[in-house]
Amino acid sequence: MDTRVRAVLDEVATAAAQHDAGIADRLLRWRVLEEDAGQLLAVLVRATGAHEVVEVGTSRGVSTLWLADAVRATGGRVVSLDPDAAAQAAAAENVARAGLADHVTFTAVDGGSYLARMPDAAIDLLFLDAERTEYPGWWPHPLRVLRPGGLLVADNATSHPDEIAPFAALLRAEPGVTTTIATVGKGELIAVRDPY
């Protein structure tokens, strides 16, 4: 990661901590991705050579920065989805300041409806960081859109285990899918589709 990206990440993380500190309603907080979870995403993108990455839940773009920096190394791109146009505008500004705008497309849309319209096996890595209770209603699209060998990563697996459990159960019940939970950040549910 170059110093320009690092500086923007640090700035946004600090601003988010200050913004969120006095706000009780989680829906009003920025809720940016933790450093160690961002590092994990970057490693997964690079290790798999992911080119087509979709992120559902933009917030202020911290996860977008991690993903975009990683796809810059793989020659890929990130599509970041969020129905909150104001959050997407703030994230787009952060991504531009980091010099990564050429690697990200922002789309103000509901993630579930977007995934439903995507073709089969179109995504190398899908990162879910939106309203966890909605994920089962998106089924089977989060898995259907993954290419063979593709990865699905869902945030908040340990911070909100009851909310993510129904979605995790769908993944675990699916033949040809292997899951685990990485205990970084707020917990990352990771699922990989068998490559064959």
Side-chain angles (χ1 to χ4, degrees), residues 4 10 15 33 39 42 46 53 67 115 135 139 147 191:
R4 185 175 176 188
D10 291 344
L33 191 70
Q39 291 170 349
R46 285 178 167 91
V53 175
L67 292 167
L115 294 175
Y135 302 162
W139 193 259
R147 67 162 172 80

Side-chain angles (χ1 to χ4, degrees), residues 29 45 53 66-67 88 103 105 123 156 161-162 169 182 188-189:
R29 293 187 297 232
V45 168
V53 175
W66 283 105
L67 292 167
Q88 284 217 314
H103 303 282
T105 300
I123 299 174
N156 302 109
D162 293 342
E188 305 304 316
L189 171 65

Side-chain angles (χ1 to χ4, degrees), residues 65-142:
L65 287 164
W66 283 105
L67 292 167
D69 185 60
V71 298
R72 176 170 57 180
T74 66
R77 69 185 183 107
V78 176
V79 174
S80 185
L81 313 172
D82 198 300
D84 184 343
Q88 284 217 314
E93 181 181 325
N94 292 330
V95 166
R97 288 188 306 115
L100 296 169
D102 291 345
H103 303 282
V104 182
T105 300
F106 291 95
T107 304
V109 65
D110 171 73
S113 63
Y114 186 93
L115 294 175
R117 293 190 309 268
M118 289 194 73
D120 292 353
I123 299 174
D124 298 313
L125 187 144
L126 174 61
F127 178 56
L128 301 178
D129 192 10
E131 293 303 311
R132 297 161 294 278
T133 56
E134 294 180 9
Y135 302 162
W138 299 351
W139 193 259
H141 306 299

